[in-house]
Amino acid sequence: MGMPGFARPNTTEVTPFPIEIGRRNNPVIEWRPVGNYQESAFDWTFGSEPNTGAFSLHPDHPLVSQITNVKRRCFHVRTMRNGKPWDGRIMRRRLSGAPGREKILYTCVGNKYLMQKWLAWVNPGLPPWIQVGLTGKQDVIVGAPDPVFKYYFAKNMTRLNFPAFCKLPLHWPAEWTMPDLSDIDSFDDLLDLIADVTDPIAALQARFPRGADLFEPTMKRLEMGYSVNLWDGRGTSPQVFNTSSLAAMQSIIDASSDHFLDLSQLMKPINNGLWSDSMDRAGMVFDTQVQRDNRKVQFRTDAPGQIDSYEYEESHPEAGKVIVGGKSPAILNDVIEIGANLAIQLLINLIAPGLGLGVVVGDLFDDIFFAYQQFWDQDLIDDVGEDDLWPEDFVDNTAAHSLDSYATGMTGLKERGGGEKLVINATSGGADGRGMSFGADNGTARRFDVGDRIQFWDRGNIVEQYVSKVAVADRNDGRMVEQITLGESERLKGPWDRSISGLIGLGATSRAFANSV
């Protein structure tokens, strides 16, 4: 009797990771191939989670004596999997074992880690002890997510004079058309109309949060991602908003810069031009990403050799209601109040557009800010049953009755509302090379990428979700193993949820509140 289908060996030729090590030699990076390795693994992520990698070398490998002093030198790393690039740097070098038989492990982090390593200043043009901007104590901007994210990124890379630039062109949401008010038959219809306006909007405020922390709430709400990839200075430059010349001018007035008050530096931006759409040296490129409908890719538990193993877990809800609060805020953030007033104004103008009220400037919410607030998930209560669902829980938060408390309350409901998690372990390409595999689109129904919405079929039940992470490992056992994580939907579905969540970004970062008074 032959071997069962799920145990068939991988008969396809395995292509190892083409790993290269690079060192900066401005304006380019010089690369050297690693060649043979013992084991390696790299992952690709869609959201704000940094991508990571690792590889191990035999003690006799010629690069072992050259990749040293990681604590004082930068070693860039790049590789490729089915047309999907991975780039980052070595963060740790570990030797363990008997002399001459050591295991030498290099742990890497992808360049997306940059988003954890810069801060969004209120005013990048002033020193840190003088942080006042045109919008007050926070740097506030509202607009489409891609230009909003790139606004913060570009101005702070300019401040740092770091070779990281924003990818062009900018991405704008689909053009919004004026709605037909005659279609509004209920309050939910009205809220849906408002949500259609606010849904694709990012409203952020910054006072020294990390870039990843600043962007994450909007990314989760809109289920989007971003990338930070290295260009090595060779070939045609990607089209970017290059702030290098602006950074040179900025350094003239920056007291912490080596060029402080060095007026001769003025010639550099003048000679080079104040702005360029190409990169002048090797550096990183930031861009945002949206999900792609790739539901033609379907993993099935009844397909021989397609899935090595999988883990699917459901959890029962712990509460249908949560209480938020604990202390009535002494000072409410002005931006939150303005956002709430504008939401009310939008409602009023939609109901009675002929009044021409313009922008209502008033304290419409002043009399209803109390110490505690309740949130509930009516759909969950209806599904489980009011007599069966665990009743309520408490979420500590000191900003009750604000959009920040709304975010806290909804997060508390989500954490207590049950859920599902799916991780698939599969041999890349399946047992015969004709199965699913991670990589760039090759025109078949067998390739998928992070951010793709795909399907998982199990005994007639279908889970449809986007790929949030893919880890690919090569243990030199004749196959490449892929671990695919399907993310849980973060997007709020109800009309009231959607209309309010469009303004959550105004109170998104706790650090902004901590520094606002």
Side-chain angles (χ1 to χ4, degrees):
M1 180 181 293
M3 298 176 66
F6 62 81
R8 288 183 302 172
N10 189 340
T11 58
T12 61
E13 182 179 351
V14 172
T15 302
F17 284 111
I19 305 174
E20 295 180 287
I21 302 297
R23 294 275 290 152
R24 181 177 289 273
N25 181 18
N26 270 336
V28 300
I29 293 177
E30 307 284 355
W31 298 99
R32 178 169 177 177
V34 169
N36 294 330
Y37 53 79
Q38 291 181 311
E39 295 182 355
S40 64
F42 295 89
D43 64 37
W44 286 255
T45 60
F46 182 66
S48 59
E49 178 185 358
N51 47 327
T52 59
F55 63 94
S56 59
L57 300 180
H58 191 276
D60 294 336
H61 195 288
L63 285 181
V64 167
S65 61
Q66 298 185 33
I67 307 176
T68 60
N69 198 22
V70 171
K71 64 182 181 294
R72 305 294 290 183
R73 295 196 292 175
C74 174
F75 292 92
H76 295 279
V77 179
R78 73 178 181 183
T79 189
M80 184 82 68
R81 177 62 183 166
N82 289 338
K84 293 296 297 181
W86 188 102
D87 51 73
R89 67 180 63 189
I90 295 174
M91 293 296 288
R92 288 181 177 83
R93 170 177 172 262
R94 183 173 182 267
L95 289 76
S96 60
R101 298 193 301 274
E102 302 97 336
K103 180 178 181 179
I104 306 172
L105 178 65
Y106 303 90
T107 303
C108 311
V109 66
N111 284 316
K112 190 182 285 190
Y113 192 56
L114 170 65
M115 304 304 293
Q116 310 278 350
K117 295 301 172 185
W118 63 269
L119 304 177
W121 286 29
V122 179
N123 191 334
L126 295 174
W129 55 88
I130 305 175
Q131 285 297 292
V132 178
L134 294 176
T135 53
K137 296 181 180 180
Q138 287 87 23
D139 185 8
V140 180
I141 186 170
V142 180
D146 182 77
V148 166
F149 287 5
K150 289 175 179 177
Y151 159 84
Y152 287 110
F153 188 88
K155 69 188 296 186
N156 283 283
M157 291 304 110
T158 301
R159 169 180 59 83
L160 293 166
N161 195 19
F162 190 78
F165 310 104
C166 295
K167 184 76 176 289
L168 293 177
L170 298 177
H171 312 314
W172 299 92
E175 185 177 357
W176 181 76
T177 57
M178 289 297 293
D180 185 355
L181 297 182
S182 64
D183 292 337
I184 299 176
D185 298 322
S186 67
F187 186 62
D188 277 358
D189 289 344
L190 184 60
L191 290 174
D192 266 330
L193 186 149
I194 297 173
D196 289 339
V197 177
T198 61
D199 209 20
I201 297 300
L204 302 182
Q205 62 174 356
R207 187 173 178 85
F208 285 81
R210 296 182 301 176
D213 295 338
L214 178 64
F215 297 162
E216 187 171 14
T218 299
M219 291 173 57
K220 284 187 174 182
R221 178 172 63 85
L222 299 179
E223 294 180 359
M224 58 183 293
Y226 58 65
S227 62
V228 180
N229 292 119
L230 180 70
W231 179 64
D232 66 356
R234 302 178 184 277
T236 303
S237 165
Q239 187 183 14
V240 298
F241 178 70
N242 187 329
T243 56
S244 290
S245 295
L246 298 177
M249 181 174 288
Q250 168 72 26
S251 69
I252 299 170
I253 59 174
D254 185 351
S256 64
S257 169
D258 293 336
H259 303 305
F260 177 55
L261 295 183
D262 181 359
L263 299 184
S264 66
Q265 290 294 309
L266 279 173
M267 295 306 298
K268 183 176 180 180
I270 291 174
N271 292 335
N272 295 344
L274 289 180
W275 176 76
S276 170
D277 65 353
S278 60
M279 298 173 63
D280 57 350
R281 64 193 190 278
M284 300 179 193
V285 181
F286 170 79
D287 200 8
T288 63
Q289 299 172 319
V290 296
Q291 292 182 31
R292 181 179 68 162
D293 185 355
N294 195 18
R295 286 175 291 179
K296 63 180 182 291
V297 172
Q298 185 183 77
F299 284 91
R300 298 178 64 97
T301 55
D302 65 348
Q306 192 180 79
I307 299 175
D308 295 342
S309 64
Y310 73 96
E311 180 180 341
Y312 179 75
E313 179 179 321
E314 285 186 291
S315 57
H316 185 71
E318 298 183 15
K321 300 177 182 178
V322 294
I323 305 296
V324 177
K327 177 183 177 183
S328 182
I331 300 177
L332 297 174
N333 189 282
D334 290 341
V335 175
I336 292 176
E337 186 172 345
I338 292 171
N341 287 335
L342 287 176
I344 292 176
Q345 176 59 30
L346 181 56
L347 277 170
I348 294 174
N349 282 339
L350 285 171
I351 295 171
L355 296 181
L357 296 178
V359 176
V360 175
V361 180
D363 300 328
L364 303 180
F365 274 16
D366 278 359
D367 295 330
I368 59 172
F369 285 102
F370 303 102
Y372 295 95
Q373 195 171 3
Q374 184 182 61
F375 297 89
W376 61 91
D377 187 338
Q378 191 60 51
D379 289 339
L380 180 64
I381 295 172
D382 292 341
D383 289 344
V384 178
E386 192 168 6
D387 293 339
D388 290 320
L389 182 61
W390 302 119
E392 62 183 5
D393 203 350
F394 184 79
V395 181
D396 188 16
N397 181 47
T398 58
H401 286 275
S402 69
L403 296 181
D404 190 48
S405 76
Y406 179 87
T408 302
M410 295 306 295
T411 300
L413 275 178
K414 182 176 178 61
E415 291 172 349
R416 293 156 177 81
E420 61 182 0
K421 178 183 179 182
L422 175 61
V423 177
I424 301 171
N425 298 297
T427 299
S428 181
D432 53 9
R434 292 177 295 179
M436 310 299 179
S437 62
F438 166 74
D441 194 354
N442 62 354
T444 71
R446 300 192 296 268
R447 284 284 181 87
F448 62 91
D449 195 359
V450 290
D452 282 1
R453 296 195 72 86
I454 66 173
Q455 293 185 338
F456 173 77
W457 184 96
D458 178 37
R459 284 162 283 202
N461 297 312
I462 294 179
V463 174
E464 181 185 305
Q465 195 49 266
Y466 72 94
V467 179
S468 57
K469 182 177 181 179
V470 176
V472 185
D474 178 13
R475 297 184 174 87
N476 268 321
D477 59 358
R479 62 180 190 151
M480 300 285 269
V481 177
E482 298 178 346
Q483 185 176 81
I484 305 111
T485 302
L486 300 187
E488 188 175 9
S489 176
E490 298 282 354
R491 194 158 185 164
L492 301 171
K493 301 300 183 184
W496 177 248
D497 296 341
R498 291 176 60 228
S499 60
I500 292 295
S501 66
L503 297 171
I504 283 180
L506 293 174
T509 58
S510 60
R511 193 172 308 178
F513 281 99
N515 289 280
S516 65
V517 294

